[in-house]
């Protein structure tokens, strides 16, 4: 880890926040920012550099030249179209996939050994497109998925049950978006099923709040950045520190309960080799139906974009 280099593509609100989170947590010795807006990336780098004396030892560089990403151990891609109020994540897909056609081959060329984590929305479609464009294996190119959504759900359960969030185990799976679904059948507080501690109405309300959380933030301040920044840094930490932590990242599914040829989130072991073994989580009949519907929604969008 002492010699790790993390490259972040996109110096917007998410990319800059992710760079900041990576630095203050001491996750890498080198952090590089790449953005086509030279003035913006220079300003972000200067701001970050001026705080380095208060952080673990690291260096920061930035450029509008993709060569700044050369030699990165991990690349996080945050660049993409900005989500507008009332716009779904899937609505962003067309403009962002056009950008990927130019970006991804260059990243693989300058950092051929890097693990690539896609953070840009709609992350499942973008992850699938990036894989198609690069040919990288699923373990080396995957998306941040529903790591943030699952954190939101756990926070709501903790508040509702009046316990520390660390004692809550629950996952959101499927799309990082409107068709995502909570796995209530396996959610627990300690060893107690959440279904025994909450009512169906309470669970429906929590699921609704998770799905709509980003929309409320976007209406209020124009973008989400803090929570997704630290959530993505958690994925980076799991890789660089080889934590083998179970995270619901978005990976390519080639066979799962009849679901094929799509990227979506399921609990997955994340470590130094990237996204490893996907856990075979028990699903209720309703959850399986919801997961298949979510996969169909993602796949339909990807096909509509030519992927």
């Amino acid at each position: 880890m002492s010699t790790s280099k993390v490259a972040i593509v996109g110096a917007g609100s998410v990319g800059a926040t992710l760079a900041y989170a990576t630095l203050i947590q001491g996750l890498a010795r080198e952090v590089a920012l790449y953005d086509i807006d030279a003035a913006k990336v220079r300003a972000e780098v200067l701001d970050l550099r001026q705080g380095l004396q208060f952080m673990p030892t690291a260096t920061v560089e930035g450029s509008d030249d993709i060569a700044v990403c050369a030699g990165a151990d991990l690349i996080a891609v945050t660049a993409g179209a900005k989500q507008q109020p009332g716009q779904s994540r899937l609505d962003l897909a067309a403009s962002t996939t056009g950008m990927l056609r130019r970006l991804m081959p260059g990243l693989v060329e300058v950092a051929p050994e890097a693990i690539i984590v896609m953070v840009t929305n709609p992350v499942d479609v973008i992850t699938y497109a990036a894989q198609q464009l690069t040919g990288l294996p699923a373990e080396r190119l995957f998306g941040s998925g529903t790591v943030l959504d699952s954190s939101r759900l756990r926070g709501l359960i903790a508040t509702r049950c009046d316990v520390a969030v660390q004692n809550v185990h629950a996952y959101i799976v499927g799309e990082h978006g409107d068709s995502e679904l909570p796995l209530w059948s396996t959610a627990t507080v300690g060893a107690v099923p959440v279904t025994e501690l909450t009512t169906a109405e309470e669970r429906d309300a929590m699921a609704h709040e998770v799905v709509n959380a980003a929309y409320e933030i976007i209406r209020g301040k124009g973008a989400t950045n803090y929570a997704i920044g630290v959530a993505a840094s958690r994925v980076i930490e799991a890789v660089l520190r080889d934590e083998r932590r179970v995270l619901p990242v978005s990976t390519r599914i080639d066979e799962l309960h009849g679901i094929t040829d799509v990227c979506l989130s399921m609990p997955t072991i994340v470590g130094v080799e990237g996204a490893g073994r996907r856990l075979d989580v028990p699903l209720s009949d309703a959850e399986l139906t919801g997961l298949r519907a979510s996969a169909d929604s993602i796949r339909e969008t990807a096909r509509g974009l030519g992927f």
Side-chain angles (χ1 to χ4, degrees):
M1 187 185 64
S2 62
T3 58
S4 293
K5 177 176 179 177
V6 170
I8 297 169
V9 178
S13 57
V14 175
T17 303
L18 177 54
Y20 180 67
T22 299
L23 288 166
I24 63 173
Q25 294 179 73
L27 300 183
R29 180 57 68 91
E30 297 179 64
V31 173
L33 268 176
Y34 166 61
D35 197 290
I36 59 173
D37 186 337
K40 180 69 163 70
V41 74
R42 173 172 168 76
E44 294 292 359
V45 168
L46 287 174
D47 201 5
L48 289 166
R49 280 179 180 168
Q50 290 164 15
L52 287 177
Q53 64 174 305
F54 308 112
M55 304 177 188
T57 302
T59 61
V60 183
E61 56 183 330
S63 177
D64 60 343
D65 185 341
I66 200 170
V68 76
C69 300
D73 299 286
L74 185 146
I75 299 173
V77 178
T78 70
K82 184 178 179 181
Q83 189 173 2
Q84 301 299 322
Q87 187 179 39
S88 76
R89 295 179 179 95
L90 292 180
D91 291 336
L92 302 174
S95 58
T96 301
T97 52
M99 176 270 296
L100 288 183
R101 294 181 189 275
R102 301 184 297 272
L103 172 67
M104 298 310 299
L107 290 177
V108 174
E109 181 179 354
V110 299
E113 302 302 319
I115 288 173
I116 301 178
V117 180
M118 308 302 294
V119 185
T120 303
N121 279 323
V123 69
D124 306 290
V125 173
I126 295 306
T127 301
Y128 184 87
Q131 269 205 323
Q132 294 289 94
L133 292 168
T134 63
L136 291 176
E139 63 269 19
R140 282 190 51 207
L141 191 155
F142 57 97
S144 54
T146 56
V147 173
L148 174 55
D149 312 77
S150 297
S151 173
R152 287 167 172 159
L153 179 65
R154 293 177 185 186
L156 292 171
I157 293 170
T159 299
R160 192 65 54 95
C161 297
D162 194 24
V163 299
V165 70
Q166 291 84 357
N167 298 121
V168 178
H169 297 277
Y171 292 100
I172 295 282
V173 299
E175 178 199 355
H176 171 55
D178 296 344
S179 69
E180 65 188 24
L181 65 147
L183 296 184
W184 292 119
S185 66
T186 52
T188 61
V189 173
V192 181
V194 171
T195 53
E196 295 184 9
L197 300 172
T198 59
T199 66
E201 291 75 16
E202 288 173 328
R203 294 192 295 276
D204 287 345
M206 286 188 281
H208 178 79
E209 187 169 344
V210 170
V211 170
N212 289 280
Y215 297 137
E216 181 179 355
I217 293 169
I218 290 167
R219 284 194 301 270
K221 71 171 200 169
T224 62
N225 59 299
Y226 297 124
I228 184 57
V230 293
S233 76
R234 193 69 195 83
V235 178
I236 291 173
E237 183 178 24
V239 173
L240 296 183
R241 293 181 175 168
D242 193 21
E243 291 184 334
R244 299 190 62 76
R245 183 172 291 269
V246 177
L247 297 169
V249 293
S250 182
T251 60
R252 177 162 177 154
I253 305 292
D254 288 315
E255 178 49 49
L256 177 69
H257 301 298
I259 298 169
T260 60
D261 197 25
V262 69
C263 287
L264 54 74
S265 293
M266 290 293 289
T268 303
I269 299 172
V270 179
V272 71
E273 295 180 355
R277 179 167 57 92
R278 187 170 52 250
L279 300 186
D280 187 11
V281 181
L283 302 173
S284 69
D285 290 343
E287 289 166 350
L288 180 55
T289 298
L291 185 64
R292 287 171 173 164
S294 187
D296 289 343
S297 175
I298 298 166
R299 190 185 299 106
E300 181 181 357
T301 301
R303 297 297 180 273
L305 296 167
F307 292 98

